Amino acid sequence: MQEQNMAVVEDTGEFRCLREQADVLGVPMSSVERLGLDLDDGRSLSALRFGADEPAVTLLHGAGLNAHTWDAVALLLGRSVLAVDLPGHGDSAWREDADYSPETLAVDVASALETWTSQPQLLVGHSLGGLTAAIVAARHPHLVESLVLVDITPGVDPAAAPAVLREFYAVTDFAARADAVERAVAFGLGGDRAATERGVFLNTRVRADGRVEWKHHLAHLLGHSFDAVRARTEHGDEAGIAAWSALESLTVPVTLMRAARGFLQDADVDEFTRRLPTASVIAVDAGHNIQETAPAAISTLLTDALARPIR
């Protein structure tokens, strides 16, 4: 592990939710700490480290989420895991240029791996995190042992999801978290009420004026922000081309987890298998956020992957 600028942040209440989840799942509460990394440009990057050993698994969330989206997976896995807050999300700093494209995010994720890990990782990325993970694996092969993409390929057009999210994020601050919960419920977001309350708690913060706001930058950028995370190859879209090129260049094992009720269409998966004929594809009865709607499926996959011989 490289010499690092790391600060463990005291528990401010966020891990209360983790204890509740462990009880519901019937698994032991894992030790967990929040890490902070000062980047060269003055921004900071944040992450959660589960377990006391060196992590062999790193988890990257999707747009508008944060590291806590992986809580259930980490608890079920029962191993040391690193879950990163992507720039502009969770406790990581926002970018002044509002560039949250996979290629840009990959720079900070690579710094996180260089700092917080000491062995090649089983790198898992959901949605935007998956495209970012592909870029990291291609640019820094020494950091990645294998790659798992969760309900994402570079050919996906996420325009349908942002149409709903743009309307949802038309309101970005509230008098209380309960108001944010009610809005999420009204839009059908977040699963059951307990999960919605937990998600809102972990994805909001109280400002100095007492108002509650969303932590992630994308909520405040509204509709145009989602253009930066599009991954289409149509019209020469550079992000999609870069992501496909990254995936096709990989020599490590690649697995795609497809959610039955997710963003991927049959044509997306067909293109993925055509471009990466040696990759594995696993279908899961879940929504787009498989890590939240079917965490056991991911934890089982990761457990099996970790049991394979190291290349």
Side-chain angles (χ1 to χ4, degrees):
M1 180 180 292
Q2 290 190 352
E3 184 177 351
Q4 54 188 278
N5 180 0
M6 181 174 66
V8 177
V9 182
E10 293 183 2
D11 183 350
T12 60
E14 62 178 314
F15 301 136
R16 169 179 57 80
C17 296
L18 193 65
R19 296 186 190 95
E20 293 172 356
Q21 280 188 284
D23 290 341
V24 171
L25 294 169
V27 296
M29 170 65 181
S30 172
S31 62
V32 59
E33 59 184 354
R34 183 165 284 284
L35 308 178
L37 175 65
D38 294 330
L39 301 171
D40 291 340
D41 62 3
R43 290 179 300 113
S44 61
L45 196 68
S46 188
L48 299 176
R49 183 166 60 194
F50 296 81
D53 300 326
E54 290 295 328
V57 180
T58 293
L59 308 169
L60 307 180
H61 62 76
L65 301 175
N66 58 72
H68 279 293
T69 190
W70 299 104
D71 283 353
V73 172
L75 288 169
L76 289 167
L77 192 58
R79 298 185 55 134
S80 292
V81 168
L82 180 69
V84 179
D85 278 336
L86 293 177
H89 296 74
D91 285 3
S92 291
W94 296 359
R95 293 186 60 90
E96 290 186 6
D97 61 6
D99 181 1
Y100 297 111
S101 62
E103 286 193 289
T104 298
L105 299 180
V107 175
D108 291 344
V109 171
S111 295
L113 295 181
E114 293 279 12
T115 301
W116 290 324
T117 70
S118 59
Q119 59 183 305
Q121 296 291 289
L122 170 48
L123 187 58
V124 185
H126 167 247
S127 203
L128 174 61
L131 300 180
T132 301
I135 301 293
V136 172
R139 290 180 178 173
H140 309 277
H142 65 289
L143 297 176
V144 180
E145 177 66 33
S146 57
L147 177 67
V148 176
L149 304 177
V150 180
D151 208 47
I152 191 67
T153 71
V156 168
D157 177 6
V164 175
L165 294 179
R166 285 173 183 147
E167 183 179 357
F168 177 70
Y169 288 126
V171 178
T172 59
D173 68 319
F174 307 87
R177 283 191 168 101
D179 297 332
V181 171
E182 292 303 329
R183 184 168 178 81
V185 170
F187 275 77
L189 303 175
D192 62 33
R193 190 172 188 88
T196 301
E197 291 175 347
R198 180 171 61 246
V200 167
F201 173 73
L202 293 170
N203 215 9
T204 57
R205 60 188 168 207
V206 181
R207 298 190 313 222
D209 63 0
R211 299 282 293 179
V212 173
E213 69 174 3
W214 298 108
K215 282 186 174 183
H216 59 91
H217 199 185
L218 300 189
H220 303 266
L221 295 171
L222 298 177
H224 73 274
S225 68
F226 291 97
D227 295 336
V229 303
R230 291 174 64 86
R232 302 196 67 176
T233 57
E234 294 181 12
H235 311 298
D237 184 275
E238 294 181 2
I241 293 173
W244 275 128
S245 297
L247 283 173
E248 291 174 323
S249 72
L250 297 181
T251 58
V252 301
V254 179
T255 300
L256 170 65
M257 296 193 78
R258 177 189 183 181
R261 301 182 301 281
F263 287 177
L264 297 182
Q265 304 299 313
D266 289 343
D268 299 319
V269 178
D270 289 344
E271 182 176 17
F272 178 85
T273 55
R274 177 179 62 80
R275 288 176 177 263
L276 284 84
T278 63
S280 301
V281 178
I282 298 175
V284 181
D285 184 14
H288 176 59
N289 295 355
I290 300 178
Q291 69 277 10
E292 297 177 0
T293 55
I298 296 184
S299 65
T300 298
L301 172 68
L302 300 185
T303 297
D304 292 344
L306 290 168
R308 299 190 193 110
I310 298 176
R311 60 181 169 91

